[in-house]
Amino acid sequence: MAEEDDATVRIVQSLRGKICEAKNLGPLSGPNRQRDLCTFCTISLDQEEVFRTKVFDKSVSPFYGEDFYFEIPRPFQCLSFYVYAKSVFQRDLPVGKVSIRKDDLAKYSGKEHWCSLHPVDPNSEVQGKVHLEMRLNEVITENGSVGQHLVVRIIECQGLPLISGQNCDPYATVSLVGPARSDQKKTKVKKKTSDPHFEETFFFEVTRTSSYSKKSHFQVEEEDIEKLEIKVDLWNNENLAQDVFLGETRVHVKILRSDHIHKAWYLLQPKGNGSKSKSDDLGSLRLKLTYIEDTVLPSAFYTPLCNLLLKSPDVKPISASAAHILGDICRERYEAVLPTVRLLLHHNRFVPFVSAVAALELENTQEANTIFRGNSLATRCIDDMMKIVGKNYLAVTLKPVIDEICESNKTCEIDPVKLKEGDNVVVNKENLQGYVQKVFSSITQSSSSCPPLMCDVFRSLRNLACKRFSADPHVQYSAVSSFVFLRFFAVAVLSPHSFQLRSHHPDPEISRTLTLISKTIQTLGSWGSLSKKMSSFKETYMYDFFKSFQEDKCIEKVKKFLDEISTNVSKESSVLEDAVVLKEGEVQKRAQGRKRLGKKHFKKRWLRLTNRELSYHKHKGKEALCIINVKNIQAVEKLDESAFNRKNMFQVVHCEKLLYMQAGNCVEAGEWLEVLGPVSRCNEGRFSSFHPSNYSGGFWQCCRSPSSSAPGCKPCTTTVLANLQLDIDCDRETERIFSLLSANDAKLQNMEDACASMAVYQGPQREQEDYSKFTIQEPKETFQTLKQLRNIMEELQRQHNIRSDTAAQYGSMDNPIIGKTS
């Protein structure tokens, strides 16, 4: 492969998990502090906050229950979880933190862990790296004596933290430290940058001898070299306030014994005399983490595996296909199906594949009332498809009523055992009935908004079920309601935060209300599909509650809805009648028409995106200062940090002017780009290129073109399929599949052995534990697919090995040295 192909190798990172709960938090200073403790938890990449839970009231053992998932768009050293005590009149007080180095994340992956909280000390909150060069020079003084000078050059730093959301004003102190000396020198301050280039050299006298001799030539006395070290501290210049410590590194001078010139990158470390407080009294945090890091090769290497997977819908039987084999060997890992689903969706191969695996499942289903109720490959594929394709459909259908439920916070408890003192069960029942009717009506009147691909899948499921159980008149409905009611709407009502319908996990009381509504929606869906009666309720209080519903009308509405979403031919996405909020949040907006750059020219604004328009407001809930029709957006792209000396900036190009925005952190910036891209990428008049920097001083800073209307100098992000509006990185998904296959290599081998044995021995299948876990209908066909997979995996592994053999040298920018601390 050509050298230029190697340059396209990418490291792609993501983090998924849950902040479960904390216990025994404290102590904090102040009267009654523990009793009144209101806490929240944050996640930081190094020192950049990327996630925050809601505040949990007055508990030293709060249950947060917050799920999170985000792409990690930049290199990082440490993942940290901070617990803060909420304060009304002063800054929030840190209770403690859990910090996990990137290299240690694999130890935590996929399991829950109780982690002790450690003190939050400003001197330990560091990130970034520094590039140093050291050498020894021999010098002859005016009187003829010979001495040694240690020459230290501080070249540059990268990845210093943001201070109050902005780039810092860094400088460095360089000290030669020994038992009886401490010589310190200082660089110039670099303004507004997290990646300062210093290029400053400092000289330190190390030894001096009375006369020149060959013996003393470039030699440092033993007692000196063992005790001397260079200490580099990074600081943020605060002018009138005390300077902020950014990190330090220490390098022994004795390293120059074997290396006349030493040049390397070092990770910045916490201050050596940082807090040594005990962490036993601060409590602990229960976390569940899954960190994934994929090395994505150039596209050409994935073509064979991708093609083999995309052929899966055409393989007979489907169990012999590569995609089915992957699902078979990874059936315990729910996330294993997702990359296959995304790949099939991108290439319009999902419907034939899921139809084939659903048909296989129906062959083994003996009773119509158990149809699609298990955790099979077919159900997992459809679950993932609905989450991807139906995201906006859920927002249109459920978000307004879910927002009302969460914000009005009416009591809806109807279980006599759980009623609180003073509760009125009649009022509660009326509240719950009102919410259920709103949710039910929203769902049953939403068929015109159901995505075409979901309709195609539901139609296929309906036809397959009718063919398999032709004598059952209700199966045509249960085949569809098993997914759209039980696995889609009911689950979204139960956990709206997991479907991006709410930003945080609901309070316990609201969560209970949503649980009751979800149960009801499941039952109403089942009524319409299976003609279940009210007597099917296990709980007496639910039976009493449903007496108020007119059963026949519910059945008619459900059946009509299921008919509409499963019998219509594939349709184009309909224009939504109501505007749906896709994302909103606070950003820093660059003021329009400003000639000069300055901090005051960036204003806090509330940015709001719906499926129809992008607007910004002075504050949340205020009248819009500017409204942009999404159809007029011509490009949405990242902006170079150099444009305004600010990180996490993006630009919205539309017909009137450029809109420059700064997100609060790198994850937030990625989310804005992710949601703005799909709503505008199929617009007419969309630009094919853009300027990654700004126009100032009479020319574009990126390409130096003097015309403000000059075409962009960089290609815009590739457009995606209009019908799905999905942004799928096929190379990354195929690499994920390769990683899953590699991790399950032993199972692949067992499956291969089973096929070989079955093909040779034509008698009854042997009851071996490993063999019985696999679906093998045609051993010869399955064996051929396994052989192809094996050959493809070996070649991909060879390409990965080539790149791991040429891993970054220790001390390079990509693999910096972890310096010592005192």
Side-chain angles (χ1 to χ4, degrees), residues 510-577:
I510 295 174
S511 185
R512 173 62 180 164
T513 297
L514 294 175
T515 299
L516 292 170
I517 296 171
S518 179
K519 276 187 175 183
T520 311
I521 293 303
Q522 289 185 54
T523 305
L524 290 174
S526 296
W527 274 3
S529 60
L530 300 176
S531 292
K532 284 190 174 181
K533 302 300 179 183
M534 289 187 291
S535 58
S536 62
F537 285 112
K538 295 179 181 178
E539 305 98 334
T540 305
Y541 65 87
M542 291 296 286
Y543 174 81
D544 294 337
F545 169 65
F546 269 91
K547 284 181 179 178
S548 58
F549 279 88
Q550 296 179 7
E551 181 181 342
D552 290 338
K553 285 189 177 181
C554 288
I555 290 177
E556 290 170 4
K557 289 178 181 178
V558 171
K559 286 185 174 180
K560 180 175 182 292
F561 169 69
L562 296 174
D563 282 336
E564 289 171 346
I565 64 171
S566 62
T567 58
N568 294 341
V569 295
S570 182
K571 60 184 185 298
E572 294 298 321
S573 297
S574 59
V575 177
L576 304 177
E577 295 181 0

Side-chain angles (χ1 to χ4, degrees), residues 21-176:
E21 60 179 316
K23 66 179 180 182
N24 303 326
L25 295 179
L28 289 172
S29 59
N32 302 320
R33 174 61 65 186
Q34 279 191 298
R35 188 185 66 188
D36 298 331
L37 200 64
C38 296
T39 63
F40 62 93
C41 190
T42 67
I43 304 176
S44 291
L45 294 172
D46 297 322
Q47 297 308 302
E48 184 180 20
E49 182 182 315
V50 296
F51 180 84
R52 176 178 292 215
T53 70
K54 65 181 181 182
V55 177
F56 198 97
D57 289 343
K58 298 182 180 180
S59 174
V60 294
S61 296
F63 182 84
Y64 297 113
E66 294 265 10
D67 297 298
F68 59 86
Y69 171 81
F70 50 84
E71 301 286 318
I72 301 177
R74 62 169 178 81
F76 72 102
Q77 301 170 27
C78 195
L79 178 72
S80 298
F81 298 82
Y82 293 82
V83 177
Y84 286 93
K86 187 70 178 174
S87 178
V88 178
F89 301 109
Q90 58 182 333
R91 293 181 64 183
D92 299 329
L93 301 173
V95 177
K97 70 174 181 178
V98 174
S99 289
I100 306 171
R101 294 198 68 85
K102 177 184 174 182
D103 294 342
D104 296 328
L105 280 172
K107 301 175 185 177
Y108 295 83
S109 192
K111 297 180 181 178
E112 290 187 0
H113 295 268
W114 278 104
C115 304
S116 297
L117 291 171
H118 293 272
V120 177
D121 171 26
N123 288 329
S124 69
E125 306 296 288
V126 303
Q127 70 178 64
K129 51 193 172 186
V130 59
H131 195 193
L132 301 175
E133 180 179 304
M134 295 168 50
R135 67 179 185 274
L136 285 170
N137 279 357
E138 183 181 82
V139 294
I140 302 176
T141 63
E142 293 179 358
N143 62 10
S145 62
V146 179
Q148 294 276 346
H149 277 184
L150 176 62
V151 183
V152 180
R153 182 164 71 103
I154 178 167
I155 304 169
E156 61 179 315
C157 291
Q158 282 196 357
L160 297 180
L162 301 178
I163 303 295
S164 300
Q166 305 300 324
N167 283 328
C168 54
D169 294 334
Y171 69 90
T173 59
V174 182
S175 307
L176 180 64

